[in-house]
Amino acid sequence: MRATAIDRSVAQAVDEGHGRPILVIHGGMGDSSAWSRVTDRLRDRFRTVRLHRRQYRLDLPRPISMADEVEHVTAIAAELDHPVLVGHSSGGVLALEALLAEPESYAGAVLYEPPVVIGEPLDADRARAALADGKPGKALTIFLREVVGVSPATASVAGLVMGHTHYRDRVIRQLDDSDAIDALGNRLPLYAKLEVPMLLIGGDRSPRHLAERLDALERALPRTRRLLMHGQGHNAERQAPERLAAAIAKFVDEDVAGS
């Protein structure tokens, strides 16, 4: 699926299934395939559209702001009939920004641990310094450990896997993504004006700061409920796709359809 944004760049997404549309916005370091295990379990009842985020399109020039990314969400959403947004991690922040830009275009949203700014910025300076030294694997390890908050062992393994030079551009885009969130600042007072129903999802094995950010969102948003996924961390789209798909379907059937 392709749609032309207001700046004439072309948004891309994978469009499958039939029914009420669900527009999925993946998280950091991902692409349109990141949530395929979840949408495979939804597309028999829903039209699932998986965006390939502008921030992670290596065919498009950087830097890319959150506002630039919103243009691509808006372009794809314009081809759909009031989709439900599903945003994961930084994609959840993007979903909130898209809702602010055109709240009337969406029927609701599912936000899976968006790292919204609630205090000090995420600050990826040390990771950028490692990248400038030509060490993308080390940069990612630092980012995951110090910014995302994953365990040192998990961060080190990810750094080793992504340490090859051909992954450098993806790491750069991840740090750009973090900077774009920091540039927004604390937007909770604006998010508090959003009236669509929202489901906030978190895992009980995720870094504590992500739960704290969900707490802040839950207090701010006027129409929300919370789901804690036991035994899951920040990547249930890979580890528990069936449970995640069931939660999304239930939210759409009960909260969105009844609103």
Side-chain angles (χ1 to χ4, degrees), residues 26-59:
H26 64 79
M29 301 286 287
D31 58 25
S32 58
S33 69
W35 275 60
S36 61
R37 295 180 188 178
V38 178
T39 56
D40 283 349
R41 292 162 169 82
L42 291 169
R43 64 186 182 184
D44 61 332
R45 291 188 52 220
F46 303 98
R47 181 181 180 184
T48 62
V49 179
R50 290 180 276 119
L51 179 72
H52 189 167
R53 284 178 55 190
R54 187 173 187 168
Q55 186 70 264
Y56 294 94
R57 291 263 306 278
L58 302 184
D59 59 312

Side-chain angles (χ1 to χ4, degrees), residues 220-239:
L221 295 171
R223 297 182 62 191
T224 188
R225 63 185 178 90
R226 185 87 167 260
L227 172 64
L228 180 65
M229 295 191 70
H230 295 285
Q232 295 301 314
H234 196 51
N235 294 111
E237 81 285 0
R238 295 201 305 264
Q239 304 298 325

